[in-house]
Amino acid sequence: EELVDYILVDTPGQIEAFTWSASGTIMSNCLASSFPTVLAFVVDTPRCAASPNTFMSNMLYACSMLYRTRLPIVIVFNKIDVVPHEFCVDWMTNYESFQEALDENASQAGYYGSLTRSLSLALDEFYKDLTYCGVSAATGEGIMEEGNANAGGNDTGDFWKAVDKAAMEFEDVYVPDLKLRIEEQQA
């Protein structure tokens, strides 16, 4: 008998179709009722490098997925063979750094710029407990790294370590919350 350590379910396509649809909710709830379940939100790192707005959009999507499902989430910065993800980590851990990036981007004027600045302050708390890692699907970098020297804080430097960390969060946070919600429904 072989045991499987991980089951990776890819739900390609529009985030909205999975996160906000009945079928996406059913699927995530069914998985979470049977196994430690973690969401992996894949971010196109080079696109974020091109625009702080793209970075902010990705973080808002991740935040909405976290709050919709209540499941632990790992932010996976992909394509680090093209653009290293350290600037994203810097933006998440250093509010001023993100503000400077916005200042350097000429398209940040007006309402959109003001909104992005406000959201960055609001998401500052969201970033504190967020687990993340950088990977390259093309080269395999960051998938299973031994002692990644660049990893620090909540950056595990290894996708599977990030998943394991989030799985512990599932047991410590999600399961007690689920039990509480079940008790409230039965009351």
mmCIF file of all heavy atoms in Angstrom, residues 137-154:
data_model
loop_
_atom_site.group_PDB
_atom_site.id
_atom_site.type_symbol
_atom_site.label_atom_id
_atom_site.label_comp_id
_atom_site.label_asym_id
_atom_site.label_seq_id
_atom_site.Cartn_x
_atom_site.Cartn_y
_atom_site.Cartn_z
ATOM 1 N N ALA A 137 8.606 27.239 -12.645
ATOM 2 C CA ALA A 137 8.042 26.023 -13.234
ATOM 3 C C ALA A 137 8.941 25.516 -14.351
ATOM 4 O O ALA A 137 8.997 24.315 -14.616
ATOM 5 C CB ALA A 137 6.639 26.298 -13.760
ATOM 6 N N ALA A 138 9.688 26.414 -14.989
ATOM 7 C CA ALA A 138 10.557 26.030 -16.104
ATOM 8 C C ALA A 138 11.810 25.285 -15.643
ATOM 9 O O ALA A 138 12.208 24.295 -16.252
ATOM 10 C CB ALA A 138 10.957 27.261 -16.917
ATOM 11 N N THR A 139 12.425 25.758 -14.546
ATOM 12 C CA THR A 139 13.699 25.161 -14.104
ATOM 13 C C THR A 139 13.559 24.275 -12.876
ATOM 14 O O THR A 139 14.473 23.518 -12.556
ATOM 15 C CB THR A 139 14.730 26.261 -13.774
ATOM 16 O OG1 THR A 139 14.288 26.979 -12.613
ATOM 17 C CG2 THR A 139 14.932 27.203 -14.956
ATOM 18 N N GLY A 140 12.445 24.385 -12.164
ATOM 19 C CA GLY A 140 12.254 23.625 -10.934
ATOM 20 C C GLY A 140 12.804 24.326 -9.702
ATOM 21 O O GLY A 140 12.642 23.834 -8.582
ATOM 22 N N GLU A 141 13.432 25.471 -9.884
ATOM 23 C CA GLU A 141 13.975 26.218 -8.746
ATOM 24 C C GLU A 141 12.856 26.562 -7.769
ATOM 25 O O GLU A 141 11.773 26.967 -8.168
ATOM 26 C CB GLU A 141 14.637 27.499 -9.251
ATOM 27 C CG GLU A 141 15.233 28.360 -8.162
ATOM 28 C CD GLU A 141 15.837 29.656 -8.689
ATOM 29 O OE1 GLU A 141 15.873 29.866 -9.919
ATOM 30 O OE2 GLU A 141 16.265 30.462 -7.850
ATOM 31 N N GLY A 142 13.135 26.378 -6.491
ATOM 32 C CA GLY A 142 12.175 26.731 -5.451
ATOM 33 C C GLY A 142 11.110 25.687 -5.174
ATOM 34 O O GLY A 142 10.336 25.843 -4.239
ATOM 35 N N ILE A 143 11.077 24.635 -5.968
ATOM 36 C CA ILE A 143 10.070 23.597 -5.718
ATOM 37 C C ILE A 143 10.475 22.782 -4.489
ATOM 38 O O ILE A 143 9.701 22.571 -3.582
ATOM 39 C CB ILE A 143 9.888 22.671 -6.944
ATOM 40 C CG1 ILE A 143 9.514 23.485 -8.184
ATOM 41 C CG2 ILE A 143 8.873 21.579 -6.658
ATOM 42 C CD1 ILE A 143 8.182 24.185 -8.112
ATOM 43 N N MET A 144 11.708 22.346 -4.481
ATOM 44 C CA MET A 144 12.232 21.577 -3.359
ATOM 45 C C MET A 144 13.684 21.972 -3.167
ATOM 46 O O MET A 144 14.584 21.378 -3.736
ATOM 47 C CB MET A 144 12.104 20.081 -3.634
ATOM 48 C CG MET A 144 12.289 19.227 -2.399
ATOM 49 S SD MET A 144 11.883 17.497 -2.709
ATOM 50 C CE MET A 144 10.114 17.563 -2.831
ATOM 51 N N GLU A 145 13.911 23.025 -2.397
ATOM 52 C CA GLU A 145 15.249 23.577 -2.200
ATOM 53 C C GLU A 145 15.793 23.160 -0.848
ATOM 54 O O GLU A 145 15.076 23.121 0.136
ATOM 55 C CB GLU A 145 15.214 25.110 -2.254
ATOM 56 C CG GLU A 145 14.724 25.667 -3.559
ATOM 57 C CD GLU A 145 15.774 25.643 -4.650
ATOM 58 O OE1 GLU A 145 16.939 25.934 -4.354
ATOM 59 O OE2 GLU A 145 15.418 25.333 -5.793
ATOM 60 N N GLU A 146 17.072 22.894 -0.806
ATOM 61 C CA GLU A 146 17.750 22.636 0.458
ATOM 62 C C GLU A 146 18.377 23.927 0.933
ATOM 63 O O GLU A 146 19.281 24.455 0.295
ATOM 64 C CB GLU A 146 18.834 21.555 0.279
ATOM 65 C CG GLU A 146 18.285 20.180 0.011
ATOM 66 C CD GLU A 146 17.459 19.642 1.164
ATOM 67 O OE1 GLU A 146 17.813 19.865 2.332
ATOM 68 O OE2 GLU A 146 16.442 18.997 0.891
ATOM 69 N N GLY A 147 17.882 24.459 2.038
ATOM 70 C CA GLY A 147 18.484 25.635 2.658
ATOM 71 C C GLY A 147 18.634 26.821 1.728
ATOM 72 O O GLY A 147 19.732 27.309 1.523
ATOM 73 N N ASN A 148 17.560 27.324 1.163
ATOM 74 C CA ASN A 148 17.597 28.482 0.283
ATOM 75 C C ASN A 148 18.074 29.693 1.068
ATOM 76 O O ASN A 148 17.424 30.159 1.997
ATOM 77 C CB ASN A 148 16.198 28.728 -0.296
ATOM 78 C CG ASN A 148 16.176 29.840 -1.321
ATOM 79 O OD1 ASN A 148 17.058 30.686 -1.369
ATOM 80 N ND2 ASN A 148 15.161 29.818 -2.155
ATOM 81 N N ALA A 149 19.214 30.222 0.692
ATOM 82 C CA ALA A 149 19.834 31.335 1.412
ATOM 83 C C ALA A 149 19.016 32.610 1.303
ATOM 84 O O ALA A 149 19.135 33.494 2.146
ATOM 85 C CB ALA A 149 21.241 31.580 0.882
ATOM 86 N N ASN A 150 18.185 32.729 0.280
ATOM 87 C CA ASN A 150 17.397 33.947 0.089
ATOM 88 C C ASN A 150 16.112 33.949 0.904
ATOM 89 O O ASN A 150 15.463 34.969 1.012
ATOM 90 C CB ASN A 150 17.047 34.121 -1.400
ATOM 91 C CG ASN A 150 18.273 34.366 -2.241
ATOM 92 O OD1 ASN A 150 19.228 34.974 -1.790
ATOM 93 N ND2 ASN A 150 18.256 33.865 -3.459
ATOM 94 N N ALA A 151 15.743 32.810 1.440
ATOM 95 C CA ALA A 151 14.485 32.715 2.168
ATOM 96 C C ALA A 151 14.614 33.356 3.540
ATOM 97 O O ALA A 151 15.629 33.239 4.204
ATOM 98 C CB ALA A 151 14.060 31.254 2.309
ATOM 99 N N GLY A 152 13.584 34.040 3.934
ATOM 100 C CA GLY A 152 13.550 34.651 5.262
ATOM 101 C C GLY A 152 12.129 35.029 5.601
ATOM 102 O O GLY A 152 11.258 35.045 4.739
ATOM 103 N N GLY A 153 11.864 35.323 6.848
ATOM 104 C CA GLY A 153 10.518 35.687 7.264
ATOM 105 C C GLY A 153 9.540 34.572 6.944
ATOM 106 O O GLY A 153 9.767 33.429 7.307
ATOM 107 N N ASN A 154 8.473 34.889 6.241
ATOM 108 C CA ASN A 154 7.478 33.888 5.858
ATOM 109 C C ASN A 154 7.780 33.262 4.504
ATOM 110 O O ASN A 154 6.995 32.490 3.990
ATOM 111 C CB ASN A 154 6.087 34.512 5.850
ATOM 112 C CG ASN A 154 5.600 34.837 7.242
ATOM 113 O OD1 ASN A 154 6.078 34.267 8.210
ATOM 114 N ND2 ASN A 154 4.677 35.764 7.347
#
